[in-house]
Every structure is written in structure tokens, then in C-alpha cells.
Amino acid sequence: MKVTLAVSGPGEDTDGASSDLRRWLRRHPELRDRITREPAAEPAPGSMGAAGELVSLLLAPGGLTAALAAAVVAWLQDRRGNQTVTITLPDGTQVTVSSERVRDLSAEGSGELAERVAQAIQRRPAATDDCTDRDAASGTPAEPDRT
């Protein structure tokens, strides 16, 4: 299964952030050989544009999604400013994780979020019906940001 990751953020250098995410993912031995870089498709006429670079990974069915999800959550926690990673599945389904709500998560909260993201990538129902990210300040569930 090929998944594509795109990074966005207000006023951010999306090419630089995408390159940084790609380097971060390459640190993980189980993901390293599965990562490719590709240019984003041309934006539709009249649209605001798209990310300058996408990060693609080939995942075996049922495998490596936990490693990818954990790496994305950890990368977002390490970033300054608000950033969003959108993971696009082959059928067009998107799973979106934002740094706005993950930066201050505990290790347990990060693990739970990574597990929910992995479940969303694998298209399995989450153990709880609540969210793909958690409000770090209040600890309350947030609505999922999936399209």
C-alpha cells in the first residue's frame, strides 16, 4: 500500500518541512528503504496551490503503519509552530494529524495517538470512537480531522 504524506502550516516553508519529515522518517530503519520523494501535482486552476514536495512510503498490508504513525507524531511534537501532516491513502482517504494538539502530550498520550493514527491508516475502527488527536491543554478528545 502506497501512502503519501504532505506537510502544511501557516506561512511555513512546506518544501523544507517535507524534507525534514523525510529525513526524520529515514532515521527509522524499518521505514528507511520505503521512502521516496515526489513533486506535488499541479494545483487545479483557481486553487491556492499545493505542497511543493510529497513524501511517499510503501507499506506492506498490516505492517509498518505503527512505526509510521509513531514517527509522524514524534516529528510533530519536535517541531516549532503549528504544522499538519496529511496522510493520503490509495483510495483518497486522508488522515490528518496536527502539531497544534500533540506537542504537550505525555508519552502515554503520544502512544495512544500513534495507535489511533495507525488504525486510521489501516482503516480499522479505533478502540474508542473519539479522536485522532487530543487537546494537550485539557486532555479532552477532539473531533477527528479525516475526509
Side-chain angles (χ1 to χ4, degrees), residues 83-136:
Q83 306 237 327
T84 299
V85 174
T86 302
I87 303 166
T88 304
L89 305 178
D91 67 357
T93 301
Q94 295 184 328
V95 180
T96 302
V97 188
S98 174
S99 64
E100 186 175 333
R101 296 191 170 173
V102 300
R103 189 166 295 112
D104 295 326
L105 284 176
S106 66
E108 181 181 350
S110 295
E112 290 172 1
L113 175 58
E115 184 176 321
R116 286 192 300 273
V117 171
Q119 289 170 342
I121 293 170
Q122 293 174 351
R123 310 262 317 166
R124 294 188 326 227
T128 60
D129 215 20
D130 54 19
C131 65
T132 57
D133 58 22
R134 186 173 293 273
D135 184 338

